[in-house]
Amino acid sequence: MAKDPNLLGEVSRAERSPLRYFIGEIYSGNSLRSTISVGNEKKRQRVYNTMFHLPLRCERLICAGFFVCLDSFLSLLTIMPARILMTIWRLLKTRQLQRPNAAELSDFACFLVLVMGVGTLQLTDISLIYHFIRGQGTVKLYVVYNVLEVRNMISQAITLSTCIVAHNNALLALLVSNNFAEIKSNVFKRVSKDNLHSLVYYDVVERFHITAFVLFVLAQNILEAEGPWFESFLTNALMVYMCEVFIDLIKHSFLSKFNDIKPDAYSEFLEDLSKQTLNENSEDHHKNLTFIPLAPACVVIRVLAPIYATLLPSGPLLWRLFWIISWSGLTYIMLAIWKILVSLSLRSLATWYLKQRMDRKQHMD
């Protein structure tokens, strides 16, 4: 058998300089090439996309969408009241009844729905619902949560609060059962790119609703919890978010892999979201993130009102009214500052991302 001179030369070099051989192995490519098959580069790239590229782009899109929802939520609590006050002031100043335009009618309609929603929730006995749900078995909590999903957010928040403060595995059982049902109903379906676009926006809205639920639980603990509770609350809240992130990544990874959708699709979704943030008109309105913040706003106002009530001093009605106006004004200023920061940051990041996408497209062309 003829001897391979290249092989003999490599062995002799390794014998002369072990360090050079080790460095050569580092720069030689795949470290396991001697024990695994070369494989198909296209299949390997699909695996890399599923494991690394897609989860990062998906979570980046969901986080960006979350702040878009937060911006809409803050607009409801800051911009809408200011516009209503300006409209009323204009009517009082001119003393002329003018037909309101569509934007003004929308503001008054949203304000009316918000007041009615908060008023309805004020009549709801949260303690009664809480103890009713707490009396259910661990398995029944999953059923209660999904039945109440079509009813209202306050009941879902109470269910989550019950699971968090329970001294058993109720929260874990709720998360596992609910998320397992979500995976089962989504991952093995044939979906198009447009359907995936709608699904990721649904996950964005769901992430924001979970944040509203967590705020509800925090408010309930501040009012009713006894003893040290913050560490347990923080641990359980992190568990909820980590499970939600983990399930979303698994769901989208499977959907993209089985439907042969590349990670760049999520970059296109983020591009559409950036255009929506900058109020650039899109020809296809199905690509826009649709979020109505009325329900979360009603829940947040309902659960924060008792906390503010504990801060009011006892005394005459006028004195209490003064503090109500003071706390309301201070809260409005804080929310307005958050609104400005979130809006300007979103617009700046959206402009930067669109420029990056445009430069990349020009470079590819």
Side-chain angles (χ1 to χ4, degrees):
M1 180 181 295
K3 296 182 179 180
D4 189 351
N6 294 329
L7 179 60
L8 294 177
E10 183 178 352
V11 173
S12 62
R13 286 195 300 270
E15 292 176 349
R16 290 198 307 267
S17 178
L19 180 60
R20 182 179 299 176
Y21 163 76
F22 184 75
I23 295 177
E25 286 292 307
I26 294 177
Y27 290 99
S28 62
N30 193 339
S31 58
L32 303 179
R33 66 184 186 278
S34 61
T35 56
I36 63 174
S37 58
V38 177
N40 188 295
E41 185 64 26
K42 185 177 180 180
K43 292 182 179 179
R44 184 183 294 112
Q45 187 61 40
R46 288 183 61 186
V47 174
Y48 292 161
N49 288 339
T50 303
M51 294 180 60
F52 303 108
H53 301 298
L54 189 142
L56 292 176
R57 298 189 186 189
C58 177
E59 188 59 27
R60 180 180 61 179
L61 174 61
I62 293 179
C63 290
F66 174 86
F67 282 100
V68 172
C69 293
L70 178 61
D71 182 62
S72 177
F73 176 81
L74 293 174
S75 296
L76 180 68
L77 299 179
T78 57
I79 304 299
M80 184 196 69
R83 288 170 57 91
I84 291 177
L85 290 177
M86 290 174 59
T87 302
I88 295 176
W89 173 254
R90 188 180 70 248
L91 293 176
L92 294 176
K93 185 177 180 180
T94 59
R95 297 182 180 180
Q96 294 180 358
L97 292 177
Q98 299 178 354
R99 184 177 181 179
N101 54 38
E104 293 173 345
L105 287 176
S106 176
D107 291 334
F108 279 102
C110 288
F111 181 75
L112 181 62
V113 172
L114 185 64
V115 171
M116 293 176 60
V118 174
T120 302
L121 293 180
Q122 288 289 349
L123 300 176
T124 304
D125 191 347
I126 294 181
S127 299
L128 179 63
I129 301 176
Y130 172 84
H131 290 291
F132 167 76
I133 295 176
R134 190 171 185 177
Q136 306 301 315
T138 300
V139 178
K140 290 183 180 179
L141 288 174
Y142 165 68
V143 180
V144 172
Y145 184 89
N146 285 276
V147 169
L148 295 176
E149 185 175 4
V150 297
R151 296 298 180 183
N152 48 55
M153 289 185 62
I154 192 69
S155 298
Q156 294 183 55
I158 296 173
T159 305
L160 184 61
S161 176
T162 305
C163 294
I164 287 180
V165 301
H167 298 287
N168 51 33
N169 295 323
L171 176 61
L172 185 61
L174 177 65
L175 293 175
V176 171
S177 56
N178 196 48
N179 289 324
F180 178 78
E182 182 178 357
I183 291 178
K184 183 180 178 182
S185 61
N186 286 293
V187 295
F188 297 113
K189 287 184 177 180
R190 299 293 299 179
V191 297
S192 63
K193 189 176 178 180
D194 292 336
N195 292 335
L196 188 64
H197 199 170
S198 301
L199 181 61
V200 72
Y201 280 170
Y202 173 82
D203 292 332
V204 168
V205 176
E206 184 182 25
R207 190 77 62 87
F208 190 85
H209 285 172
I210 289 177
T211 303
F213 297 160
V214 171
L215 286 177
F216 172 87
V217 177
L218 177 61
Q220 289 296 110
N221 279 292
I222 292 175
L223 292 174
E224 301 178 2
E226 298 179 356
W229 58 269
F230 185 75
E231 183 178 354
S232 175
F233 163 79
L234 188 61
T235 302
N236 290 321
L238 288 176
M239 183 188 300
V240 171
Y241 278 110
M242 290 176 62
C243 286
E244 187 65 25
V245 171
F246 183 68
I247 293 302
D248 287 341
L249 295 183
I250 290 180
K251 179 175 63 178
H252 285 279
S253 296
F254 271 89
L255 284 174
S256 300
K257 184 177 185 299
F258 288 126
N259 294 279
D260 198 20
I261 298 176
K262 296 181 179 180
D264 195 57
Y266 290 87
S267 298
E268 296 177 6
F269 299 160
L270 184 56
E271 182 178 355
D272 294 332
L273 185 62
S274 299
K275 293 179 180 179
Q276 180 182 350
T277 303
L278 297 176
N279 297 323
E280 295 185 6
N281 294 327
S282 175
E283 297 179 357
D284 189 0
H285 294 286
H286 295 289
K287 295 182 178 180
N288 291 338
L289 172 61
T290 302
F291 172 67
I292 302 176
L294 286 171
C298 290
V299 172
V300 171
I301 294 174
R302 168 62 180 85
V303 299
L304 292 183
I307 296 180
Y308 277 88
T310 60
L311 301 176
L312 297 178
S314 58
L317 178 61
L318 291 178
W319 180 245
R320 293 173 62 86
L321 184 61
F322 167 77
W323 279 103
I324 291 175
I325 296 175
S326 299
W327 280 113
S328 300
L330 181 61
T331 303
Y332 181 85
I333 293 174
M334 293 175 59
L335 292 176
I337 293 174
W338 274 102
K339 163 64 181 174
I340 294 172
L341 292 176
V342 172
S343 296
L344 293 181
S345 299
L346 280 175
R347 295 182 67 86
S348 177
L349 291 174
T351 303
W352 172 82
Y353 184 76
L354 289 177
K355 184 178 182 301
Q356 293 292 322
R357 292 284 295 178
M358 186 179 300
D359 293 341
R360 182 179 179 183
K361 290 178 181 179
Q362 292 177 353
H363 180 72
M364 292 177 63
D365 294 339

